[in-house]
Amino acid sequence: MSSSGSITTTDSGRATPPPETSTVSDTEYAVRRRKHLDLIKQLRAIGAQADLDLPRIVVIGNQSAGKSSLVEAISGITVPRDAGTCTRCPMECRLASSTSGTWSCQVYIRWEFDAHGQRLPEVAEQPFGVLITKKADVELALRRAQCAVLNPKSKPESFVRMSAEKVRSHNNELKFSANAVCLDLEGPGLTDLAFVDLPGIIQNAAPETVKMIEDMVVTHIQGNCLILLTIPMSDDIDNQKAARLAKQVDPTGQRTIGVLTKPDTLTVGAVKSKENWLAVLEGRHLKTAHGYFCTRQPDDAERARGITPAEAREAEKTFFSTTNPWSTSKHRQRFGTENLVDSLALLLSKVIDETLPKLQMEVAEQFAACSSELAALPPPITSDPSSYVLNLVLGLCNEVKQHVEGDVTAASLVQQNRRTYALFKRDIRDSALLFLPYGKAAEEPKESDVHQFFRFDEDVETNIDEYADDSVSGVHGKHLYLSDIQQHIRNALTRELPDNVPYAVKVMLIRQSQESWGALSAECCTAVTTAFQKTLKELVNVKFSRYDHLHSRVTKILTDLVRKQTELAQERVRGALELERVPYTQNDHYLQQTKAKYLSLYKDARSGKLQLPAQQPKKRRRDRGENGTVQTSAPTPAVFSFANVPTLAPTSSSPAGLGPPPADNPHRKLASNARVFGLTGRKEADATPIAKAPSGGGSVAPVSAFTLGFGPSGRSTAIPQSTTSSEQSSPEPVYKTPNRLRNKGAEASDSSTPLSEPPTPAVVEQRKTNTGKKGKKRGLSDEEREERENQALSALAALGYHVTAADLGKLNPPDVYESELELMAEVRAYFQIAYKRIIDYVPMTIDHSFLFGFVSAVQESLIEHLGLGTSNAGPRCAAYLAEDHRILSLREELLGKKKRLESVQSELDNFGL
């Protein structure tokens, strides 16, 4: 508003009033201005100033700056005067000229704020008392109205006829109020004008009082406001706090109009001060867009004598025309109250003219924004409280059920639980003891891959890949060698018969493999309950967040139910784990089958026949640390497959590694081997004996059309019996026969013959043939392996031995650790059975006892604890539905604003904008 209110301009660009010869109230412009003022008056009466920046004039000044005298001069009335602060609320004066010859005043109170200073949703301007027709009655009416404003808890009617003494002595509830006392003044000699008079700014008072007044002033002079700043010429302008506040909100002075008061206080000898103030009036110092005016008001003696407004104006003219330096100034239009009033009226009219066209669009924009904010709020409750709460509860229960059951629109919880259960399966599987078929760690071949003893192809489940980042896990189980197993057996021996492994050793090893199951199950249960509670919290917040009381009550009920179902699920999971403490299964076939596979695997590894699997691309496992970050561990070795176990093929040589049977009883040895191999298709007496090998070396003569022989990678070899230490190149140790496996009838020299001997030179040569440049075993192609397996199985079938390829591993010779290998295979096989049980039992128990148990109990629990079926359900539900005070206040505020804007729009439409 760089040029607001400028009607004509001087060479300096400052606004000046029209020539004194024109009568402003008689012009056509005055009629339009009167209509504009009436519109602004009506808009302020309905509280439009709370939403719209309406044009206005605000009078501010320090205490004792002559502000009250200036207000009296402009309005023609007497305002209350007391020692100290007298004005304690805004006073809005609305002047209207009249040609009827009568004068009148109506006092109003505009209630915009409550006792705590909060804006009311609906503004009301109420008349206070009757219409006043005598100017002398105005002062007491203003005192009474201000007293009513300062006591909002009392009825305003109680102050209308209160005596002046009681008004002065009344103990007010508030020191200051933002509610305004309004005066509608109409009469001859008045100029169409409106302004707001604020309490004088004080400095010698309590800090909170000083701040309260300054905040009120700053609030009113913001925006589209002309600031009428009163400055006494008896003081330095730099001492005026009002001037500093005006400078704060209007730094360029585009909206500030200065009024210099009390020029008669400058003595005749104050020549320098007069010259400085004259420079300000003439625009040579402290320039503003609208300049400064100077007025002279009656002093205390003149007021006591009862000077009239007309006499006061005449005395003012005489003073400025006879007193230097004012009488010699060329800016005569800057002196006198009448010039000031006319200029203010023109400036305000100009601002109104510029503002009104914009109001229509601003009202429409604010109305649309207000309607949008209201639509975003939850609608107020209009139905029966009990029915409303019941519908909320049923809706929540239905949504919880959908999430637990995995509805297509609510699948996140079930998907997360599937991943949790997949990780639980992986962790349980990885807890197996890792049995290594070597005497001790030093005897383990360097190229050994521990994963081949850990799990089978059938256990590498692909479903974990779908839910977990680390489908290939590491080997976490405890490593146990044959010497460890042997030591366990020795420690547990009591009264067992020879070659009998104590049952306690099996139980001990089985329980060792299950040591982590309790913690893993608890971790799984915690993950599921945590995920469910997160989902439940989100559902409750969506349903009940707008009702603080109901939200907290429902949260408490659901928390207790979650705790109850969690404890039940944990108890039943512990029960399922307790069942696994005693080894038991009726799945005999799977147990024996798995045991045979592991035993075959262990024996092949010990005899050097186990072909290492081809190197697969190594995956890196990602574990989550305590802080939830992803950590990467070392690459995981390849997984063993039974497809890599060597097969049989017909040959004319002796079995590798078996050595010749004892000379004293070849038939018995063959029968023993048949039992070990599991070839029970013929009786021992009918078994064909195997011929002895010549003592000088050479090949063994065939017993029938063929014999069985194995190279380290499944290839047929001719195996001479004579070897030397220089020809021996295999790293495998020589296993001596334990006492329990020795032939009791053999000679002493034969008793030390190993049952599993080192590979012969032919075997070594064959291994070299099957080894690549980097020492890796070449192995057989799939076609070669299948062909040789078929040949071997066909030959055995022709002899009446009906076996499968999986049974061929049983052809390995008896071992010094035969009992230990049997024990390892049996414990490992039982782990497979128990592991497969527990990975189903625990998730099923959690689902049934916790998730579905919660769904079954939640509706009944909420209805019971919320008291929906009781006789006082209505009042209780009404209390539950008491809205958050913030939402309630916001809705009331928006509704009040919407109503005000509708009223403003109606006034603008009636005005013709």
Side-chain angles (χ1 to χ4, degrees), residues 505-526:
V505 176
K506 298 179 182 180
V507 175
M508 178 197 66
L509 293 175
I510 290 172
R511 289 183 178 177
Q512 279 188 13
S513 66
Q514 299 174 358
E515 285 178 351
S516 62
W517 287 11
L520 293 175
S521 299
E523 182 180 342
C524 177
C525 188
T526 300

Side-chain angles (χ1 to χ4, degrees), residues 592-850:
Q592 295 302 325
Q593 185 183 48
T594 308
K595 175 183 176 182
K597 289 181 179 180
Y598 272 105
L599 185 60
S600 176
L601 173 67
Y602 297 153
K603 287 189 174 184
D604 281 349
R606 288 188 56 74
S607 64
K609 300 174 186 175
L610 183 62
Q611 177 182 335
L612 294 179
Q615 292 295 321
Q616 302 175 4
K618 298 179 179 180
K619 300 183 181 180
R620 297 181 67 84
R621 177 180 179 179
R622 297 195 295 171
D623 294 326
R624 297 199 176 270
E626 294 180 358
N627 59 354
T629 57
V630 176
Q631 301 172 340
T632 305
S633 61
T636 303
V639 178
F640 169 75
S641 170
F642 272 110
N644 297 323
V645 178
T647 60
L648 293 173
T651 181
S652 60
S653 60
S654 299
L658 294 180
D664 57 342
N665 194 352
H667 292 273
R668 179 177 180 274
K669 186 61 180 177
L670 178 60
S672 175
N673 279 340
R675 285 193 300 272
V676 174
F677 303 156
L679 308 178
T680 58
R682 302 176 62 184
K683 297 180 179 179
E684 292 182 10
D686 297 332
T688 305
I690 298 177
K692 292 184 180 179
S695 60
S699 61
V700 179
V703 176
S704 58
F706 70 93
T707 58
L708 303 178
F710 306 89
S713 52
R715 300 173 61 90
S716 302
T717 57
I719 308 174
Q721 294 297 317
S722 58
T723 59
T724 63
S725 60
S726 62
E727 296 171 332
Q728 179 71 26
S729 61
S730 175
E732 285 85 347
V734 176
Y735 300 105
K736 301 272 184 198
T737 306
N739 292 335
R740 64 179 181 272
L741 296 177
R742 289 178 183 170
N743 187 346
K744 300 296 184 180
E747 299 293 335
S749 60
D750 295 331
S751 63
S752 61
T753 302
L755 294 178
S756 181
E757 296 182 350
T760 64
V763 174
V764 174
E765 187 63 28
Q766 184 65 34
R767 287 182 177 176
K768 292 180 179 179
T769 303
N770 293 335
T771 303
K773 294 180 179 181
K774 295 184 179 181
K776 295 183 179 179
K777 298 181 180 181
R778 180 173 63 83
L780 294 174
S781 66
D782 292 341
E783 293 77 7
E784 291 174 329
R785 182 179 299 108
E786 183 178 2
E787 179 183 358
R788 296 192 180 186
E789 282 182 354
N790 290 337
Q791 291 175 0
L793 295 176
S794 297
L796 290 171
L799 294 175
Y801 299 105
H802 301 287
V803 295
T804 64
D807 296 320
L808 299 179
K810 303 173 184 179
L811 297 176
N812 291 300
D815 195 287
V816 66
Y817 290 110
E818 190 72 24
S819 298
E820 287 79 0
L821 292 171
E822 288 272 353
L823 176 59
M824 290 166 61
E826 186 173 8
V827 171
R828 189 61 181 83
Y830 182 78
F831 176 86
Q832 290 297 114
I833 291 178
Y835 139 75
K836 289 180 180 292
R837 284 197 300 243
I838 208 67
I839 61 175
D840 285 339
Y841 287 168
V842 170
M844 290 170 65
T845 300
I846 295 174
D847 273 358
H848 177 76
S849 300
F850 176 68

